[in-house]
């Protein structure tokens, strides 16, 4: 199964604030908010939702096709991704813009304040999926330039290519009509629990109506694991890992998608997909930087078996060993 991953490609500037953001908020004054937080660390890492997802899939041996626009400063990043099994032939280079930047501060409660500069990503709307090399079985439409996301979704419908909707960071700025257009008919819909409720609010569709309009609805639940819904079927509830030592949350959701889609690419069932999603999300959560974890088959299988059982681990190890 050949999977193309669209979405942002960026450099992450990750800072930590030792206090709690909420302690600095003054009731009744939030309409005049002016705050500055003194960070005690800065890490500059490779990131962007599409690159993060592709990296995880590449590490699992799937060989995804990364699709997006970058700047002339991307050479080292490209070499890194290719060394980890990512096909970058679908990445185009802008003549005028730098690669995108994600600037994020995380507090002691793992709450985050972030700003994203799109840079070259604003040119993603110039990409024609139908001209990409080789056949494509599934396109992940990740958070990118809003017009490009709409364009990719419509191109998939026109070409009869299955797509996975992953609005994530762009959900907040999209109106109801745009959100409906982005997810209607998707083979998969990914969101966290909050984004799921916001999707229902913006579309005006109930949870059941959304599930009926997509093939598989996948909701990450943080410390409660993940939920997979299909119309007319009982939900699949997958428990989380319990022995987790979180360091930095950026990219954990992308790690989940990488694991889930890798299992789909292997032909495994939805329960295994969500289990592997949880596993890769934790690998990212326990690292500083969304692409700074390492997947070793032996330790991964042992940890998988400890949480989800020997049979589940054996089914995954059959494809990644």
């Amino acid at each position: 199964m050949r999977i193309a991953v669209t979405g942002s490609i960026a450099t992450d500037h990750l800072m930590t604030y030792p206090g709690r953001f909420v302690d600095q908020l003054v009731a009744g004054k939030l309409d005049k908010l002016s705050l500055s937080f003194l960070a005690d660390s800065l890490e500059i890492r490779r990131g962007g939702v599409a690159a993060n997802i592709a990296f995880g899939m590449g590490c699992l041996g799937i060989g995804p096709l990364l699709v997006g626009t970058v700047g002339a400063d991307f050479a080292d990043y490209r070499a890194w991704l290719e060394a980890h099994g990512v096909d970058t032939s679908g990445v185009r280079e802008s003549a005028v813009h730098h690669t995108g930047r994600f600037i994020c501060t995380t507090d002691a409660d793992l709450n985050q304040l972030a700003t994203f500069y799109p840079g070259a990503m604003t040119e993603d709307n110039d990409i024609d999926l139908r001209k990409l090399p080789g056949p494509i079985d599934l396109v992940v439409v990740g958070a990118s330039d809003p017009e490009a996301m709409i364009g990719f979704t419509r191109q998939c419908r026109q070409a009869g290519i299955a797509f996975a909707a992953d609005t994530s960071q762009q959900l907040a700025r999209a109106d109801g009509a745009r959100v409906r257009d982005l997810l209607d008919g998707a083979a998969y819909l990914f969101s966290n629990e909050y984004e799921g409720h916001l999707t229902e609010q913006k579309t005006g569709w109930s949870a059941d109506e959304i599930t009926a309009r997509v093939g598989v609805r996948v909701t990450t639940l943080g410390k409660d694991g993940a939920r997979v819904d299909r119309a007319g079927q009982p939900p699949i509830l997958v428990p989380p890992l319990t022995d987790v030592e979180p360091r930095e949350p950026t990219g954990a959701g992308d790690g989940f998608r990488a694991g889930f889609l890798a299992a789909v690419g292997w032909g495994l069932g939805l329960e295994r997909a969500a289990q592997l999603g949880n596993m890769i999300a934790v690998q990212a959560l326990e690292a500083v930087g969304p692409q700074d974890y390492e997947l070793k088959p032996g330790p991964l299988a042992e940890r998988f078996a400890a949480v989800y059982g020997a049979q589940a681990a054996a089914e995954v190890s059959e494809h990644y060993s």
Side-chain angles (χ1 to χ4, degrees):
M1 185 177 192
R2 190 158 187 255
I3 301 175
V5 186
T6 74
S8 62
I9 303 170
T11 300
D12 290 350
H13 296 247
L14 308 175
M15 291 170 280
T16 57
Y17 170 63
R20 303 171 70 240
F21 294 145
V22 294
D23 292 339
Q24 312 306 320
L25 302 180
V26 179
K29 298 295 182 180
L30 298 182
D31 60 330
K32 299 179 180 179
L33 189 64
S34 178
L35 286 172
S36 176
F37 296 97
L38 181 63
D40 60 4
S41 69
L42 167 66
E43 300 283 349
I44 300 177
R45 303 294 189 199
R46 303 171 185 90
V49 296
N52 293 342
I53 295 169
F55 170 83
M57 294 172 66
C59 288
L60 289 166
I62 290 296
L65 176 66
L66 179 61
V67 179
T69 311
V70 299
D73 54 343
F74 187 66
D76 289 344
Y77 196 168
R78 185 189 298 272
W80 163 267
L81 290 169
E82 290 178 347
H84 289 84
V86 178
D87 180 353
T88 65
S89 62
V91 177
R92 63 186 294 274
E93 186 175 305
S94 170
V96 295
H97 292 110
H98 288 291
T99 303
R101 296 287 187 274
F102 175 70
I103 302 171
C104 181
T105 303
T106 302
D107 75 358
D109 292 333
L110 299 185
N111 294 314
Q112 294 184 308
L113 294 174
T115 301
F116 186 81
Y117 166 69
M121 192 180 79
T122 57
E123 299 179 27
D124 280 0
N125 200 34
D126 296 333
I127 296 173
D128 188 341
L129 296 176
R130 293 161 293 189
K131 295 181 180 179
L132 293 174
I136 296 171
D137 301 299
L138 177 69
V139 174
V140 180
V141 182
S144 174
D145 176 78
E147 294 306 317
M149 294 173 70
I150 290 290
F152 291 151
T153 301
R154 291 176 177 171
Q155 288 176 35
C156 286
R157 291 195 185 104
Q158 291 167 2
I161 303 171
F163 68 95
D166 183 12
T167 54
S168 57
Q169 292 97 328
Q170 292 292 14
L171 181 61
R173 66 178 291 170
D175 60 21
R178 178 155 294 190
V179 177
R180 288 191 291 270
D181 197 9
L182 286 170
L183 65 86
D184 200 13
Y188 301 90
L189 170 62
F190 291 99
S191 68
N192 61 32
E193 192 170 19
Y194 181 83
E195 291 165 349
H197 291 306
L198 185 58
T199 298
E200 292 163 17
Q201 177 182 308
K202 289 205 168 197
T203 60
W205 294 335
S206 68
D208 288 343
E209 286 174 321
I210 290 176
T211 302
R213 289 177 176 271
V214 302
V216 178
R217 186 179 185 185
V218 185
T219 308
T220 55
L221 305 174
K223 63 181 179 59
D224 294 321
R227 175 186 175 114
V228 181
D229 290 289
R230 295 162 296 167
Q233 301 288 330
I236 300 171
L237 298 174
V238 177
L241 279 70
T242 55
D243 57 336
V244 179
E245 298 179 1
R247 295 184 64 193
E248 216 287 327
T250 305
D254 300 330
F256 178 91
R257 287 149 176 77
F260 188 100
L261 291 166
V264 168
W266 293 335
L268 298 180
L270 295 174
E271 182 179 23
R272 292 288 176 269
Q275 290 169 343
L276 187 58
N278 282 346
M279 184 66 62
I280 306 306
V282 165
Q283 306 302 307
L285 182 62
E286 293 180 333
V288 177
Q291 296 177 32
D292 286 84
Y293 56 89
E294 185 177 0
L295 300 180
K296 297 181 178 180
L300 188 71
E302 291 176 9
R303 195 172 190 183
F304 205 99
V307 180
Y308 299 120
Q311 179 60 38
E315 292 179 16
V316 169
S317 296
E318 182 180 341
H319 301 276
Y320 183 67
S321 60

